[in-house]
């Protein structure tokens, strides 16, 4: 029997994906499906004065043009806000849907959508976050915690001080698969194929929209072509699609265009941060004042908790980290890979680099001087923390000792060479989750949970966990996900899926073993007599003692004797109470080399080393891929990505992949990822911590620090484009 946990394992769904067998939301074949196309508004705030649909309604193939005037009432029917689409004449943001054209074909719907004419009564608006922050209030969650120590007093007494302001623009997720849904009704039963990170959340959302029970809604989402937070909460198109299907009494498919994705599912908010660091001449921090602010919409409050994790990184007796959230006339932001953490750590880790230069101190030595042995915020011990080992391994592998301190002192011919580093941190989170294991007498198993797979390899890791604890070969285990009829699971986000759903799968597999042990012990002269569930294991078709493998029973024979074809176990996994006594975080460090052309101002990230401590690594093959993806996204955030809003019109001006720049192959060179495994029995039974977010957190700051080392130019406003270096 091969053990699977910790072994490199190719994706079990890989063949389905490369052959097209894997079905994404818009690819399901539903008889008699028709197509909806969204008409978007063109002002930032105001009211629809008149909407002219006659020409569109007479266009070939058109079945219905749905507007606020004829749309079904959703939710409680109030319709004054923007909880549901097409419920009132109010306009809250530029690009808001004002109509849906439903036609026989996509092309007919798209053509007719261009014939809809809308007249508006425009109102004054504001889409400028920096202006809105002047009147913004404190974020409720951030305001719950009082400042640590006496930050203002410590700032006045600090021997060495740095103070700087950092900004991050709006950024959009831009996954390869556009958001889409297909909806159809069977009397009062709704089925929806959707691109979502949480079928349960969409199920509840639609039940609320149509005033029906959640059990009357089935949401199916077996494959997701990237999401990164853009599908964590239900977007407006599922209810719009379901409404259209009910109104035309046929299945309806709605697919966002790339442009519609920029106002259809949220974004990383525009963020402003003012950081003050005070320290002694030895580099030890005496005070951190980290003030952050970002935008939300005028109709919905959203916070990405920008300053949450910065409180737990360095030992510092005096700290104040308030967060303000400002209402703007834009769509609501949402979570985007490493939400809050990557933004907060960009400012903190840039400021730490500035402090290192103010002190004339090596940036790595400054971080070691402020290493937190216990959680600075709660005072609790860490359940595990191998960050110091990450620093050591990363510095050795990168050759950090050869770095010269002065900016502009390292060159490669005509190019300026810069070396920068930063620390990354993310929560080691676990959520309640359930899983079902059906173990059959023929030695196969079917495992299921209503989780998602947005790309990290959920199908594979859950198959590995089930196979490990059921003692089966991988090919004899089938894992199913993405259906609201399955046992409940949290949305796939926060890097908590393996810890949450994986723990449930493990628990259900062990419950099967316990059932078998009970059956065996009911028999006279059982070789397992007196054994507890913790003392036995399932392996190669046998239930046997771990320490005395010769004491075993054949599972197939045991089930036949008890006339059982299958054993069905559902296990509900919840975080342990022991977690409350510890702080649990995943840590990492990033070392970056850049080369800058001083004549053109262009920056290339030529080398990146990422060292992560995130518990036990279940599948190293997929885990390294996750970390590499985080580095690539960090390169995009640091050097390329920005959603440009023209505040004269409140409109996003680069809502496409021509002008919204993301990294391509030429932008990505050598990336090496390394794991320092931790033995952590507190975080969850599998000892795993999330890594999907962690791999990105420190990258933008490390790149910015490397650019300063290369050029002597400190860029505090992302992205670092050539014009800022010339």
């Amino acid at each position: 029997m091969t053990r699977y946990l910790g072994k490199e394992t190719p994706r079990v769904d890989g063949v389905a994906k490369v052959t097209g067998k894997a079905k994404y939301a818009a690819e399901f074949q539903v008889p008699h499906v028709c197509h909806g196309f969204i008409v978007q508004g063109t002002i930032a705030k105001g009211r629809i004065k008149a909407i002219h649909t006659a020409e569109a309604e007479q266009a070939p193939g058109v079945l219905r043009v749905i507007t606020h005037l004829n749309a079904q009432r959703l939710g409680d029917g109030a319709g004054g806000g923007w909880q549901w689409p097409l419920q009132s004449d109010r306009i809250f943001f530029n690009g808001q849907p004002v109509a849906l054209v439903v036609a026989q074909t996509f092309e007919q719907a798209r053509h007719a959508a261009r014939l809809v004419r809308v007249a508006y009564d425009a109102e004054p608006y504001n889409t400028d976050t920096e202006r809105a922050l002047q009147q913004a209030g404190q974020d409720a969650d951030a305001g719950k915690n009082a400042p640590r120590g006496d930050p203002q007093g410590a700032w006045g007494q600090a021997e060495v001080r740095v103070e700087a302001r950092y900004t991050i623009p709006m950024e959009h997720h831009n996954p390869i698969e556009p958001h889409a849904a297909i909806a159809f009704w069977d009397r009062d039963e709704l089925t929806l194929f959707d691109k979502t990170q949480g079928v349960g959340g969409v199920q509840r959302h639609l039940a609320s929209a149509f005033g029906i029970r959640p059990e009357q809604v089935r949401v199916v989402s077996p494959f997701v072509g990237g999401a990164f937070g853009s599908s964590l909460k239900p977007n407006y198109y599922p209810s719009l699609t379901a409404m259209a299907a009910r109104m035309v009494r046929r299945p309806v498919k709605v697919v966002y265009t790339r442009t519609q994705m920029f106002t259809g599912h949220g974004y990383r908010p525009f963020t402003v941060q003012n950081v003050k660091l005070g320290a002694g001449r030895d580099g030890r921090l005496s005070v951190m004042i980290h003030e952050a602010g970002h935008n939300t919409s005028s109709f919905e409050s959203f916070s990405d908790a920008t300053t949450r994790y910065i409180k737990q990184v360095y030992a510092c007796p005096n700290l104040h980290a308030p967060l303000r959230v400002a209402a703007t006339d834009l769509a609501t932001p949402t979570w985007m890979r490493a939400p809050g953490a990557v933004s907060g750590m960009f400012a903190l880790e840039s400021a730490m680099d500035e402090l290192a230069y103010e002190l004339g101190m090596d940036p790595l030595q400054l971080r070691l001087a402020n290493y937190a042995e216990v959680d600075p915020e709660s005072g609790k011990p860490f359940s595990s923390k191998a960050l110091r080992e990450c620093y050591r391994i990363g510095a050795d592998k990168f050759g950090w000792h050869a770095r010269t301190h002065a900016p502009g002192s390292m060159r490669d011919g005509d190019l300026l060479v810069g070396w920068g580093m930063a620390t990354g941190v993310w929560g080691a989170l676990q959520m309640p989750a359930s899983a079902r294991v059906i173990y059959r007498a023929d030695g196969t198993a079917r495992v299921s949970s209503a989780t998602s797979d947005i790309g990290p390899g959920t199908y594979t890791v859950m198959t590995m966990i089930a196979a490990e604890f059921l003692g089966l070969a991988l090919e004899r285990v089938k894992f199913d996900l993405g259906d609201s009829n399955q046992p409940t699971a949290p949305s796939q986000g926060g890097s908590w899926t393996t810890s949450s759903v994986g723990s449930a799968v493990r628990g259900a597999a062990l419950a099967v073993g316990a059932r078998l042990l009970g059956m065996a012990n009911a028999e006279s002269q059982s070789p397992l007599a007196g054994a507890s569930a913790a003392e036995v294991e399932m392996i190669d078709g046998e239930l046997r003692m771990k320490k005395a493998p010769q004491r075993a029973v054949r599972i197939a024979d045991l089930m036949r004797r008890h006339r059982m074809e299958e054993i069905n176990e559902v296990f509900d996994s919840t975080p342990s109470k022991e977690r409350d006594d510890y702080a649990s975080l995943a840590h990492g460090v990033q070392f970056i080399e850049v080369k800058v052309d001083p004549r053109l101002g262009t920056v290339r990230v030529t080398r990146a080393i990422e060292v992560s401590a995130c518990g036990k690594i279940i599948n190293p093959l997929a885990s390294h891929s996750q970390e590499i993806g985080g580095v690539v996204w960090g390169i995009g955030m640091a050097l390329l990505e920005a959603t440009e809003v023209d505040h004269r019109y409140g409109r996003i001006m680069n809502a496409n992949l021509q002008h919204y720049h993301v990294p391509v192959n030429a932008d990505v060179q050598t990336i090496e990822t390394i794991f320092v495994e931790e033995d952590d029995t507190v975080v969850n039974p599998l000892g795993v911590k999330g890594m999907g977010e962690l791999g990105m957190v420190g990258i933008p700051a490390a790149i910015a620090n490397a650019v300063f080392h290369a050029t002597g130019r400190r860029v505090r406003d992302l992205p670092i484009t050539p014009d800022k270096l010339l």
Side-chain angles (χ1 to χ4, degrees), residues 570-643:
V570 176
F571 187 85
D572 300 323
S573 174
T574 56
S576 72
K577 300 242 181 258
E578 189 183 12
R579 284 181 62 108
D580 296 339
D581 299 327
Y582 294 87
S584 294
L585 295 171
H587 296 89
V589 62
Q590 299 77 31
F591 291 91
I592 295 289
E593 176 184 83
V594 300
K595 293 185 179 179
V596 181
D597 188 324
R599 298 161 300 177
L600 301 176
T602 53
V603 179
R604 283 286 181 86
V605 177
T606 49
R607 196 158 54 102
I609 290 183
E610 168 103 48
V611 190
S612 301
C614 44
K616 183 175 178 59
I617 306 303
I618 301 291
N619 184 3
L621 189 64
S623 298
H624 285 295
S625 179
Q626 279 288 289
E627 297 297 87
I628 290 169
V631 174
V632 172
W633 200 327
I635 292 171
M637 185 173 179
L639 302 180
L640 299 164
E641 296 191 46
T643 301

Side-chain angles (χ1 to χ4, degrees), residues 514-684:
R515 281 275 299 278
L516 290 168
L517 179 62
M519 291 160 56
N521 283 341
E523 299 179 337
S524 61
Q525 299 180 332
S526 169
L528 301 176
S532 68
E535 294 174 312
V536 299
E537 63 183 350
M538 298 171 67
I539 194 161
D540 290 337
E542 291 185 337
L543 183 69
R544 72 186 192 187
M545 299 291 293
K546 293 177 182 177
K547 294 184 177 179
Q550 70 277 8
R551 292 178 57 188
V553 296
R554 294 293 302 171
I555 295 172
D557 296 339
L558 179 65
M559 293 179 69
R560 186 174 61 252
R561 290 195 297 273
H562 288 261
R563 296 179 181 178
M564 295 190 70
E565 288 297 318
E566 63 183 36
I567 296 175
N568 188 325
E569 288 287 339
V570 176
F571 187 85
D572 300 323
S573 174
T574 56
S576 72
K577 300 242 181 258
E578 189 183 12
R579 284 181 62 108
D580 296 339
D581 299 327
Y582 294 87
S584 294
L585 295 171
H587 296 89
V589 62
Q590 299 77 31
F591 291 91
I592 295 289
E593 176 184 83
V594 300
K595 293 185 179 179
V596 181
D597 188 324
R599 298 161 300 177
L600 301 176
T602 53
V603 179
R604 283 286 181 86
V605 177
T606 49
R607 196 158 54 102
I609 290 183
E610 168 103 48
V611 190
S612 301
C614 44
K616 183 175 178 59
I617 306 303
I618 301 291
N619 184 3
L621 189 64
S623 298
H624 285 295
S625 179
Q626 279 288 289
E627 297 297 87
I628 290 169
V631 174
V632 172
W633 200 327
I635 292 171
M637 185 173 179
L639 302 180
L640 299 164
E641 296 191 46
T643 301
E644 305 287 352
V645 179
D646 188 330
H647 298 306
R648 296 174 299 172
Y649 310 105
R651 190 171 186 83
I652 294 172
M653 304 306 292
N654 60 335
N656 54 66
L657 288 181
Q658 178 184 7
H659 298 120
Y660 184 94
H661 296 155
V662 297
V664 296
N665 287 356
D667 299 306
V668 180
Q669 299 189 25
T670 303
I671 298 174
E672 184 173 359
T673 59
I674 302 167
F675 292 109
V676 178
E677 293 208 45
E678 300 165 311
D679 185 12
D680 193 330
T681 59
V682 173
V683 285
N684 51 71

Side-chain angles (χ1 to χ4, degrees), residues 404 408-418 595-596 598 710:
T404 55
S409 59
M410 298 175 67
R411 302 184 76 95
D412 177 10
D414 292 335
L415 300 178
L416 301 171
V417 176
K595 293 185 179 179
V596 181

Side-chain angles (χ1 to χ4, degrees), residues 35-72:
H35 298 260
F37 196 91
I38 298 164
V39 181
Q40 295 177 278
T42 57
I43 66 167
K45 187 177 181 180
R47 290 185 178 275
I48 298 172
K49 182 166 59 176
I51 184 162
H52 305 285
T53 60
E55 188 178 359
E57 289 166 340
Q58 294 164 12
V62 172
L63 302 173
R64 185 73 64 93
V65 179
I66 304 172
T67 72
H68 69 282
L69 297 173
N70 62 355
Q72 179 184 353

Side-chain angles (χ1 to χ4, degrees), residues 155-441:
W155 174 251
Q157 297 172 11
E159 292 181 294
V160 180
R161 297 188 290 188
V162 297
E163 181 176 0
R165 177 181 181 277
Y166 305 89
T167 67
I168 299 169
M170 285 172 52
E171 299 168 350
H172 274 78
H173 307 72
N174 277 303
I176 293 175
E177 181 198 12
H179 289 62
I182 302 173
F184 61 91
W185 292 83
D186 182 2
R187 294 183 291 275
D188 288 331
E189 305 281 330
L190 169 63
T191 299
L192 185 95
F193 300 102
D194 185 25
K195 176 198 170 100
T196 178
Q197 293 172 249
V199 290
V202 176
Q203 180 190 45
R204 293 186 294 273
H205 174 78
L206 293 174
S208 174
F210 295 99
I212 57 180
R213 300 186 315 277
E215 301 78 42
Q216 293 174 264
V217 181
R218 184 185 180 194
V219 180
V220 180
S221 182
F223 291 95
V224 176
F228 319 110
S230 64
S231 296
L232 270 175
K233 63 180 182 179
N235 295 305
Y236 70 71
Y237 67 88
S239 59
L240 186 60
T241 307
M243 179 213 297
R246 177 169 262 189
M247 291 179 68
V248 302
R249 301 190 178 189
R250 278 180 57 180
V252 173
K253 178 192 294 189
V254 172
V255 182
Y256 280 168
T257 65
R258 181 61 56 176
T259 295
Q260 288 166 352
M261 290 173 70
F262 278 74
T263 50
H265 58 58
Y267 50 89
R268 196 187 305 280
F270 188 102
T271 307
V272 180
Q273 298 176 78
N274 295 294
V275 180
K276 297 178 179 179
L277 298 181
R281 292 289 173 189
D282 60 358
R284 291 185 182 275
L285 288 167
S286 59
V287 59
M288 297 168 57
I289 300 175
H290 191 134
E291 300 172 330
H294 69 68
N295 75 295
T296 185
S297 67
S298 64
F299 53 88
E300 186 179 8
S301 180
F302 172 82
S303 167
D304 75 357
T306 317
T307 58
R308 174 190 297 159
Y309 287 119
I310 63 100
K311 304 173 186 178
Q312 297 178 275
V313 181
Y314 297 115
C316 181
N318 303 287
L319 178 143
H320 186 39
L323 171 63
R324 291 179 298 145
V325 177
T328 55
D329 296 306
L330 293 162
T332 310
T334 195
W335 302 280
M336 186 170 172
R337 193 172 192 170
V342 69
S343 303
M345 291 297 283
F346 165 67
L348 175 59
E349 290 298 276
S350 295
M352 284 292 283
D353 202 68
E354 298 200 42
L355 179 61
Y357 276 92
E358 189 68 25
L359 290 162
M361 191 174 185
D362 178 82
L364 176 56
Q365 290 305 313
L366 176 63
R367 286 161 175 83
L368 288 169
N370 291 284
Y371 193 87
E373 300 291 352
V374 299
D375 177 20
E377 188 67 3
S378 67
K380 295 177 181 179
F382 290 106
S383 59
S384 59
K385 183 181 181 182
L387 178 58
R388 195 185 297 277
E389 184 70 358
C390 293
Y391 285 142
R392 184 189 66 78
I393 292 173
D396 289 348
K397 192 80 174 176
F398 192 81
W400 187 258
H401 64 278
R403 177 184 186 271
T404 55
H405 187 70
S409 59
M410 298 175 67
R411 302 184 76 95
D412 177 10
D414 292 335
L415 300 178
L416 301 171
V417 176
W419 287 4
M421 57 86 58
T423 303
V425 64
W426 185 254
L429 307 170
Q430 183 186 357
M431 305 290 282
S434 302
R436 181 188 305 276
V437 170
I438 301 174
Y439 184 92
R440 300 190 181 95

